[in-house]
Structures are given as structure tokens and as C-alpha cells.
């Protein structure tokens, strides 16, 4: 696969940084975008050792002006961008009755509107080029319906729907779209998580630790999807099975499977 120019929001840690490393090792020009300036400056050196052209730019996905400025800078420095990865995200856990409207607004502003802003900021550049690839990082939560995660599930489902719609809208512009739906894996999502469920930190840590895939594995699957121009990226086998069951089984059968697995995880 020929080296390309990739920009990644939430790129200073977790999956975003893992993807940046994989891309840099492949010889790609990499720009990590993050609102955490201290963390970005701490990690950019390791990327530049892999690919000297790597950049770190500070931006907050809740401000479209920040992302438009990133697009402007990359257009000037790189004469364009090939792959835009909308990866920045947060988590909120709790029943609908326990989740405040301010928490809903917080997670929508980042998980959904952050992706919308990333797409809108870079679309003029990609459309002018008449080529490019948008990668939106959602979650298996966007395809399934695990209890006590209504706001997280809803924002990730919206990212899936947005991505499906963009794939239809952007075909004429020769712009590819990929939506990434991983299950739990070791990342720093818990650092910013808001929860009304007691002991959720420990439960999340246990779920992440049980994953057979790590951030680097997910990153490599994203790179394969970019190369193959593949729309859905579901890296976890168990996640794929659950999604197939939801799609093809009667709703009650699928719900029975889901709740049995939830109880099994609670006991383990």
C-alpha cells in the first residue's frame, strides 16, 4: 500500500496513537490532533522517529474552527490529506433515568458532533481533491444495545448511521468511508468516563483486560480496511457474532443471548 497522508483526532493516546504508530511505520505522513497539548507534545517525538514528517496539532473536536484550522494547515504543509480519522470520543454509563441531560449534551457534543465537525472541516478539501477516505470510529455499542449505556449506545449508533449516509452521498466525489466498531479493548476510555453505576471502573477494567485484541490489533484492522476500501470494520469475533445474531434472529432470541452473556460477564 502506497504511503499516504493521515490525520487522526484523539491521536495522542489510545487507539488514535496506536493507529498513528502503525501508519508511521508504514511510511505514512501522520498528523495527530488532540486537545491535550501536554500529552501530544510528549508523544510526537516517538512518531517522528518513525516518520520525520509526523505532526502534532492542538484542537478540540467541540470547536469546528479548530478543525478547520487543522485542515488549512495540512493543506498548506502537505498539499492535501488522504485519510481523515474521526477517533476522539468519551464514555458515559448509567440508566436513562439516572443520566442527566447535561451528560447527554456532553457525550453528544463529542461523540457525535465531534465526528460531524471533523467531516465538515475536511470535506471541502477532500471534494476538491476528488479523492480521500473518511474513517469514523464508532463502537459495537452502535450496533448492539447493551443496557445501562443509553447515551453511549445512541451516539455510536448515530455515528454508524452518519457513516452509512456519507458513503451514499460521497460516492460521486470518489471519497471512501469506513466505520469502525470495536468491542472492549485496553484503552484510556475510562479516564474521562462518566458513570452513575457503582464499581463501573473495575468492571470496565476487567472487560478491557479480557479482550484478545489490543489497540495495535484494532489499528492494523483499520489500515486493512482503508487498503480494501471496506465499509464496516468489526475487529472482534464475538462482536461480529452478536451483530449477526441481532440482524438475523428474532428480537426475543437475540435479547436472550445478550442477557445471558451480560450475566456471564458479571459473574466472571
Amino acid at each position: 500500500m502506497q504511503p499516504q497522508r493521515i490525520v487522526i483526532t484523539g491521536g495522542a493516546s489510545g487507539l488514535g496513537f496506536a493507529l498513528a504508530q502503525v501508519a508511521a511505520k508504514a511510511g505514512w505522513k501522520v498528523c495527530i490532533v488532540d486537545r491535550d497539548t501536554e500529552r501530544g507534545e510528549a508523544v510526537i517525538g516517538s512518531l517522528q522517529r518513525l516518520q520525520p514528517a509526523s505532526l502534532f496539532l492542538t484542537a478540540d473536536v467541540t470547536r469546528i474552527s479548530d478543525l478547520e484550522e487543522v485542515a488549512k494547515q495540512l493543506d498548506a504543509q502537505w498539499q492535501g490529506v488522504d485519510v481523515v480519522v474521526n477517533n476522539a470520543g468519551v464514555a458515559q454509563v448509567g440508566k436513562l433515568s439516572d443520566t442527566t441531560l447535561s451528560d447527554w449534551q456532553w457525550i453528544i457534543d463529542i461523540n457525535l458532533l465531534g465526528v460531524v465537525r471533523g467531516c465538515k472541516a475536511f470535506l471541502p478539501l477532500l471534494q476538491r481533491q476528488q479523492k480521500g477516505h473518511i474513517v469514523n470510529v464508532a463502537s459495537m455499542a452502535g450496533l448492539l444495545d447493551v443496557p445501562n449505556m443509553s447515551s453511549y449506545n445512541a451516539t455510536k449508533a448515530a455515528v454508524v448511521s452518519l457513516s452509512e449516509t456519507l458513503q451514499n452521498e460521497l460516492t460521486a466525489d470518489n471519497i471512501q468511508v469506513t466505520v469502525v466498531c470495536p468491542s472492549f479493548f485496553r484503552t484510556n476510555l475510562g479516564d474521562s468516563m462518566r458513570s452513575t453505576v457503582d464499581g463501573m471502573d473495575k468492571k470496565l477494567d476487567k472487560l478491557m483486560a479480557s479482550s484478545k485484541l489490543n489497540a495495535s490489533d484494532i489499528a492494523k484492522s483499520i489500515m486493512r480496511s482503508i487498503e480494501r476500501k471496506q465499509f464496516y470494520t468489526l475487529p472482534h469475533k464475538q462482536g461480529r457474532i452478536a451483530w449477526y445474531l441481532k440482524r438475523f434472529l428474532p428480537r426475543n432470541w437475540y435479547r436472550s443471548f445478550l442477557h445471558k452473556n451480560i450475566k456471564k460477564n458479571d459473574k466472571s
Side-chain angles (χ1 to χ4, degrees):
M1 188 177 183
Q2 287 295 318
Q4 299 191 55
R5 302 158 295 181
I6 186 170
V7 55
I8 307 165
T9 67
S13 62
L15 176 59
F17 186 63
L19 179 58
Q21 289 177 303
V22 173
K25 287 176 183 175
W28 289 29
K29 289 184 178 179
V30 179
C31 176
I32 55 172
V33 176
D34 208 288
R35 67 178 181 178
D36 189 335
T37 302
E38 185 176 342
R39 182 177 287 175
E41 290 177 346
V43 301
I44 187 59
S46 63
L47 282 182
Q48 289 173 338
R49 285 191 288 274
L50 296 170
Q51 168 52 269
S54 297
L55 301 170
F56 164 61
L57 297 176
T58 302
D60 188 331
V61 298
T62 65
R63 295 195 292 261
I64 192 167
S65 59
D66 283 12
L67 296 171
E68 288 173 338
E69 180 60 27
V70 170
K72 181 180 177 181
Q73 288 191 47
L74 294 183
D75 192 21
Q77 292 186 239
W78 288 355
Q79 291 73 56
V81 171
D82 299 299
V83 182
V84 177
V85 183
N86 293 301
N87 165 72
V90 292
Q92 196 284 325
V93 181
K95 292 181 179 179
L96 177 62
S97 56
D98 298 329
T99 304
T100 66
L101 284 178
S102 63
D103 277 351
W104 271 91
Q105 290 166 339
W106 169 73
I107 198 170
I108 289 171
D109 200 23
I110 297 170
N111 284 10
L112 173 56
L113 292 181
V115 173
V116 171
R117 293 183 190 102
C119 292
K120 286 185 73 66
F122 280 93
L123 264 177
L125 173 57
L126 300 181
Q127 289 174 322
R128 191 176 76 236
Q129 295 174 167
Q130 280 292 290
K131 66 174 184 176
H133 201 130
I134 293 173
V135 178
N136 293 330
V137 178
S139 167
M140 284 308 302
L143 299 174
L144 306 178
D145 42 87
V146 177
N148 298 327
M149 297 184 71
S150 57
S151 63
Y152 187 74
N153 293 349
T155 56
K156 293 301 186 178
V159 171
V160 173
S161 180
L162 170 66
S163 303
E164 291 169 342
T165 305
L166 284 176
Q167 186 188 37
N168 293 329
E169 290 182 1
L170 300 178
T171 298
D173 295 308
N174 194 33
I175 298 171
Q176 308 299 320
V177 180
T178 292
V179 64
V180 185
C181 298
S183 302
F184 289 105
F185 64 99
R186 178 64 67 187
T187 185
N188 62 333
L189 188 64
D191 292 353
S192 59
M193 181 180 67
R194 297 183 182 183
S195 175
T196 59
V197 178
D198 290 338
M200 191 61 211
D201 288 346
K202 292 182 179 178
K203 185 174 182 180
L204 179 63
D205 189 69
K206 185 166 63 175
L207 287 167
M208 288 180 173
S210 67
S211 175
K212 294 181 180 179
L213 301 180
N214 58 32
S216 181
D217 296 323
I218 309 297
K220 290 173 184 175
S221 71
I222 293 172
M223 293 290 281
R224 286 194 295 271
S225 291
I226 294 170
E227 182 176 11
R228 298 169 184 173
K229 299 179 180 179
Q230 180 177 315
F231 180 73
Y232 291 109
T233 301
L234 281 65
H236 289 84
K237 181 179 179 181
Q238 286 301 108
R240 292 195 298 272
I241 291 171
W243 187 48
Y244 296 150
L245 292 176
K246 180 180 180 181
R247 292 169 67 198
F248 299 117
L249 288 181
R251 176 69 178 174
N252 286 341
W253 293 10
Y254 159 72
R255 289 183 68 235
S256 176
F257 165 83
L258 181 67
H259 286 277
K260 283 180 182 178
N261 277 272
I262 290 171
K263 288 179 181 178
K264 180 180 172 183
N265 287 330
D266 286 341
K267 291 178 182 178
S268 62

